[in-house]
Amino acid sequence: MKKTLFIVFLFFTIVSTAQKFTVSGYVSDITSGERLPQANVYQTEKLSGTTANNFGYYSLTLPEGENTIRISFLGYNSEQLKVNLKRDTVINFLLKPKSDEINEVVVIGNNSKLDDTQMSSTNMSVKQIKAIPSILGESDVLKVMQLLPGVKGGVEGTSGIYVRGGSPDQNLFLLDGIPIYNASHLLGFFSVFNPDAIKAVKIYKGGFPAHYGGRLSSVVDITMKDGNMKQLAGNISIGIISSKLSLEGPLIKDKTSFLLSARRTYIDLLAKPVLAITNKQNNDNITAGAFFHDYNLKVNHVFSGKSRLYLSAYHGKDRGYIGYDDHIKYDWGKEKRDYRQINLTSLNWGNTVASLRWNYLINAKLFSNIIVNYSNYFFDISLKDSEEDYATNLKVSNLFKYYSGIRDFSGKMEFDYFPLPGHDVKFGIQGTRHRFTPGVTQIKNVSDSEQISEKLDTLYGASVIDANDFSVYIEDDFRLGSTVKCNVGLNISLFNVQAQNYIRPQPRVAIRYLPIEKLAIKASYSRMAQHVHLLSTSGINMPTDLWLPVTKAFEPPMSDQIGLAVNYKMPYHIDFSIEGYYKEMSNLIEYKEGASFFGSSTNWEDKVEKGDGTAYGVELLIEKQVGKTTGWIGYTLSWSERLFENLNFGNPFPAKYDNRHDINIAVTHRFSDRIDVGVSWVYNTGNAVTLGTSEYRTASLGDYSRVGGGSIVEYGGRNNFRMPAYHRLDIGVNLHKQKKHGKRTWSFSAYNAYNHINPFFVQWDFVRENAVDTEIGYQSDNGKMVLKKYSLLPIIPSVSYSYSF
């Protein structure tokens, strides 16, 4: 009976695939040779199709005979080709970028948002990112993401993202497949992703495909440009605080190309003349500054139509410092001093990553990708001071240094397999060797003179932790008839640390139902596991936030998320979607009350508590991607809570970025080839912070000007106060002019255009009774305590110049 069933099954499989042939190939940019990831490829007669992978490769099995194939990609003119299939055929499509997007474009065939099984995901074009204004005119991938429903920004002006109630460490940032641990420059005000070096950006907020893993809340998959295969091209940009240079071109035409992009801020250089004047006026010798620089490099070589090699690399470093060098000499009668004091406090952090990947087309239905990665993230903070007494010839120097980092070596094998019509199978395996340095403190003291010579040089802190991280996955994106499409997958991870093995199966399911042509209903479930933690002490993306591994004491954080969405294609090329989600998280960690990365404890595990979290909400999005006016309006209603047994008396409390209401509007309009504008407006409920609710004085308050002076402060609970609502308008205008050898662009923008005073932080302040104050507060014996808000960023105009060729 089993043999009979097997023969029947095999017979129907052969019959169903008989008289069908496979069309496969690559989708590329005709002007540069860049491969176009996620391009849509479909047959117009039956609207059956597929999506190119991240390397622009597609494979589509169609019936024998006449077929019409249509290729589309956002920002490019669609192509259509009639082909008479009599055998497996290779067709490489070359798409031309749209030069004029003023006229409405008629979209023929299926809509990618409706057809895509995946929910909770967004593709972002680099043109769109550059058109939306941001702080100081510096285009930023993550700041534009903050305008999407379900994605929230951190503190005023920063580029951190908090997705669906998750914390910053729950976001997986991939640059050409390489994890980036700290995605921020200048304490979070800029991201490490240079738009000039980027080809494609995709963010997943839920319903994760099985080939992604390692984080609970989101995946941000960023693909670098390959480099122009046809001709030398580039861009130079000069702004108020930074400049950028990008070059790309062929090393061997149509065979080998390169991309090199670099940028640097020069706040430190601009501060030097100001400090020189101040030092002269005050007879000081103070030095201070902050800057970052980063570089992107990519080389790719085509061996043949089946084989291609890529080398990708990124290096970025930040430095902030402040110090002084004083020679003090005085004669006060009996007391005479002649000595020199030097002090320098510096903060350094950065990422270095590299990847070597080989694409090989095994056959028309099987595509392979083999990758070797290296990643190194570090930060160190140091305080140095020295004193030399010329009278006694005594020299004293002190050093305090705190260091943390994480270094990875990893390998991965990925495969795309197209076994039958309507099936897109992905499977693979990867392994990573982690080396965590959770926190090492060095203290060094040296005293030296003719009479004494003393030295102290010691290290203490958490020891290095090595860990092994493995995972395997398989998923199938397939159709059930003409109306149902599914993505079913499984990711199994194994994390080995301190002789402990954590095995976590992570099932993923996504379903799309198409009841009518313009309406799609989608549902998804995904389980995610995470093997790293981030301990954070502030709302800014500080480099002092520590990356830590899962250990024997703290199991891997887990999340289970379900989602339901409705997508509707409206007239005038407007897409409407509404999506609800519910997420449960376990094994989260947070600092104990009053703990931080400094402290007398030598083990970080002694400073944290373990708990759970929940997040749920509804997201609405109205989006237009075609025409002279594009953009979106988004609204999010959400809740995010934490529950820790030893925090907040064991009661639930709101997460720091539990913003109840979030409204985002982002619109770009192209008047002509010479003028386009971008406008964005944001509104969200204020962040949750912990503030004292009452004060018990242990001594006369006197002239104390802050809560805590001679008093005990009582807190009503963790994150018990809601900051005032945040809102801001940004406006940008780009003026283009075509020159003989390239294109010139002047960009003018205003961040916080109507100068709204948004609070950066709040604190209690003591004001005497006769002082006039309109802030909220309460009466005391000698005055009153008022709650004052402090703002950081007023209206900030900016201008930049760029030239591309």
Side-chain angles (χ1 to χ4, degrees), residues 113-114 119-122 149 164 205 518-520 522 564-570 574-580 618-623 632-635:
K113 282 187 174 293
L114 297 182
M119 61 183 291
S120 310
S121 65
T122 302
R164 290 186 171 178
K205 300 177 291 181
K518 295 184 177 181
L519 178 67
K522 301 181 182 182
L564 180 65
V566 175
N567 293 83
Y568 181 67
K569 184 71 175 178
M570 301 172 65
I574 296 175
D575 295 309
F576 170 80
S577 67
I578 180 170
E579 185 169 330
V618 178
E619 301 167 2
L620 285 83
L621 180 67
I622 300 174
E623 184 178 16
W632 65 85
I633 300 173
Y635 169 71

Side-chain angles (χ1 to χ4, degrees), residues 274-326:
V274 178
L275 284 172
I277 295 172
T278 305
N279 286 335
K280 186 175 181 180
Q281 291 175 345
N282 300 325
N283 196 27
D284 288 329
N285 190 13
I286 297 174
T287 60
F291 68 91
F292 75 79
H293 57 79
D294 59 20
Y295 311 93
N296 293 81
L297 172 67
K298 190 167 185 178
V299 177
N300 85 93
H301 176 73
V302 179
F303 292 105
S304 67
K306 290 188 173 184
S307 180
R308 191 164 182 156
L309 188 70
Y310 297 85
L311 171 65
S312 305
Y314 167 84
H315 172 74
K317 184 178 180 181
D318 285 70
R319 184 166 189 258
Y321 58 93
I322 183 170
Y324 62 84
D325 184 349
D326 286 343

Side-chain angles (χ1 to χ4, degrees), residues 138-155:
E138 185 71 24
S139 300
D140 195 285
V141 173
L142 299 190
K143 283 193 175 67
V144 176
M145 282 186 186
Q146 292 174 2
L147 302 175
L148 296 173
V151 183
K152 302 180 185 300
V155 172

Side-chain angles (χ1 to χ4, degrees), residues 204-509:
Y204 297 85
K205 300 177 291 181
F208 305 97
H211 60 276
Y212 292 113
R215 298 294 188 275
L216 303 189
S217 292
S218 79
V219 176
V220 180
D221 196 346
I222 297 175
T223 305
M224 287 171 54
K225 291 180 179 178
D226 296 336
N228 197 313
M229 281 279 188
K230 306 294 184 181
Q231 60 186 356
L232 184 66
N235 177 271
I236 183 170
S237 177
I238 302 173
I240 293 178
I241 66 164
S242 69
S243 291
K244 299 182 289 186
L245 173 66
S246 180
L247 290 173
E248 57 178 311
L251 296 174
I252 303 174
K253 191 172 183 180
D254 294 327
K255 196 76 173 176
T256 308
S257 68
F258 78 95
L259 165 75
L260 177 62
S261 186
R263 60 177 175 168
R264 190 196 193 277
T265 56
Y266 28 76
I267 301 174
D268 56 324
L269 303 179
L270 297 175
K272 282 187 176 182
V274 178
L275 284 172
I277 295 172
T278 305
N279 286 335
K280 186 175 181 180
Q281 291 175 345
N282 300 325
N283 196 27
D284 288 329
N285 190 13
I286 297 174
T287 60
F291 68 91
F292 75 79
H293 57 79
D294 59 20
Y295 311 93
N296 293 81
L297 172 67
K298 190 167 185 178
V299 177
N300 85 93
H301 176 73
V302 179
F303 292 105
S304 67
K306 290 188 173 184
S307 180
R308 191 164 182 156
L309 188 70
Y310 297 85
L311 171 65
S312 305
Y314 167 84
H315 172 74
K317 184 178 180 181
D318 285 70
R319 184 166 189 258
Y321 58 93
I322 183 170
Y324 62 84
D325 184 349
D326 286 343
H327 185 188
I328 302 172
K329 188 175 183 179
Y330 60 86
D331 186 349
W332 291 349
K334 294 183 179 180
E335 184 178 1
K336 297 181 180 180
R337 294 296 304 274
D338 184 4
Y339 65 98
R340 183 186 183 189
Q341 282 186 327
I342 301 175
N343 178 279
L344 179 64
T345 302
S346 63
L347 188 62
N348 302 275
W349 71 97
N351 295 280
T352 300
V353 300
S355 172
L356 185 66
R357 64 176 64 203
W358 177 44
N359 292 167
Y360 184 71
L361 184 60
I362 298 172
N363 57 50
K365 294 188 176 185
L366 185 58
F367 180 93
S368 67
N369 183 40
I370 300 174
I371 312 170
V372 178
N373 290 338
Y374 168 79
S375 174
N376 184 40
Y377 165 70
F378 78 95
F379 97 80
D380 69 69
I381 179 171
S382 63
L383 295 83
K384 302 177 183 178
D385 66 80
S386 63
E387 181 175 326
E388 182 176 0
D389 193 320
Y390 296 112
T392 62
N393 200 28
L394 175 64
K395 299 178 182 179
V396 179
S397 63
N398 302 292
L399 168 67
F400 174 89
K401 186 173 184 177
Y402 190 87
Y403 174 86
S404 180
I406 176 172
R407 187 181 66 193
D408 293 347
F409 292 95
S410 64
K412 182 189 299 186
M413 290 191 297
E414 302 175 325
F415 298 90
D416 289 274
Y417 180 44
F418 310 91
L420 297 170
H423 286 264
D424 182 355
V425 178
K426 298 179 186 293
F427 60 95
I429 183 171
Q430 68 175 18
T432 302
R433 174 71 170 180
H434 300 284
R435 168 154 287 192
F436 295 88
T437 308
V440 175
T441 301
Q442 178 183 10
I443 296 178
K444 187 175 183 178
N445 304 103
V446 178
S447 298
D448 193 9
S449 69
E450 294 179 358
Q451 292 79 25
I452 61 171
S453 181
E454 297 178 353
K455 292 184 179 180
L456 171 65
D457 192 351
T458 184
L459 294 173
Y460 69 90
S463 59
V464 170
I465 301 176
D466 290 322
N468 300 304
D469 193 348
F470 302 97
S471 67
V472 295
Y473 69 86
I474 185 170
E475 66 178 84
D476 186 9
D477 197 272
F478 60 95
R479 293 179 182 271
L480 295 174
S482 59
T483 60
V484 178
K485 195 175 180 183
C486 303
N487 184 292
V488 179
L490 177 66
N491 185 305
I492 302 176
S493 64
L494 165 64
F495 193 75
N496 170 262
V497 61
Q498 297 175 337
Q500 177 74 39
N501 292 321
Y502 293 106
I503 301 175
R504 296 293 183 266
Q506 302 159 58
R508 320 279 171 80
V509 179

Side-chain angles (χ1 to χ4, degrees), residues 61-81:
T61 301
L62 299 172
E64 181 184 20
E66 291 285 342
N67 289 272
T68 303
I69 302 174
R70 188 174 182 84
I71 311 292
S72 64
F73 188 74
L74 184 63
Y76 286 75
N77 294 317
S78 299
E79 291 289 336
Q80 187 166 293
L81 177 68

Side-chain angles (χ1 to χ4, degrees), residues 37-152:
Q38 310 300 318
N40 296 304
V41 185
Y42 56 94
Q43 179 206 46
T44 60
E45 288 84 1
K46 293 186 178 180
L47 296 183
S48 62
T50 187
T51 301
N53 66 12
N54 284 341
F55 302 95
Y57 179 76
Y58 76 94
S59 179
L60 184 62
T61 301
L62 299 172
E64 181 184 20
E66 291 285 342
N67 289 272
T68 303
I69 302 174
R70 188 174 182 84
I71 311 292
S72 64
F73 188 74
L74 184 63
Y76 286 75
N77 294 317
S78 299
E79 291 289 336
Q80 187 166 293
L81 177 68
K82 286 188 177 181
V83 58
N84 186 10
L85 286 182
K86 295 183 178 180
R87 65 181 64 86
D88 289 348
T89 305
V90 175
I91 302 177
N92 295 318
F93 287 92
L94 299 174
L95 300 187
K96 184 178 181 180
K98 292 176 182 176
S99 58
D100 187 354
E101 297 183 286
I102 298 176
N103 299 320
E104 294 288 342
V105 177
V106 178
V107 179
I108 302 173
N110 67 342
N111 179 274
S112 60
K113 282 187 174 293
L114 297 182
D115 189 63
D116 191 6
T117 316
Q118 194 61 47
M119 61 183 291
S120 310
S121 65
T122 302
N123 287 300
M124 304 177 67
S125 71
V126 176
K127 285 185 179 179
Q128 192 177 48
I129 292 168
K130 290 185 175 182
I132 295 175
S134 57
I135 185 170
L136 294 169
E138 185 71 24
S139 300
D140 195 285
V141 173
L142 299 190
K143 283 193 175 67
V144 176
M145 282 186 186
Q146 292 174 2
L147 302 175
L148 296 173
V151 183
K152 302 180 185 300

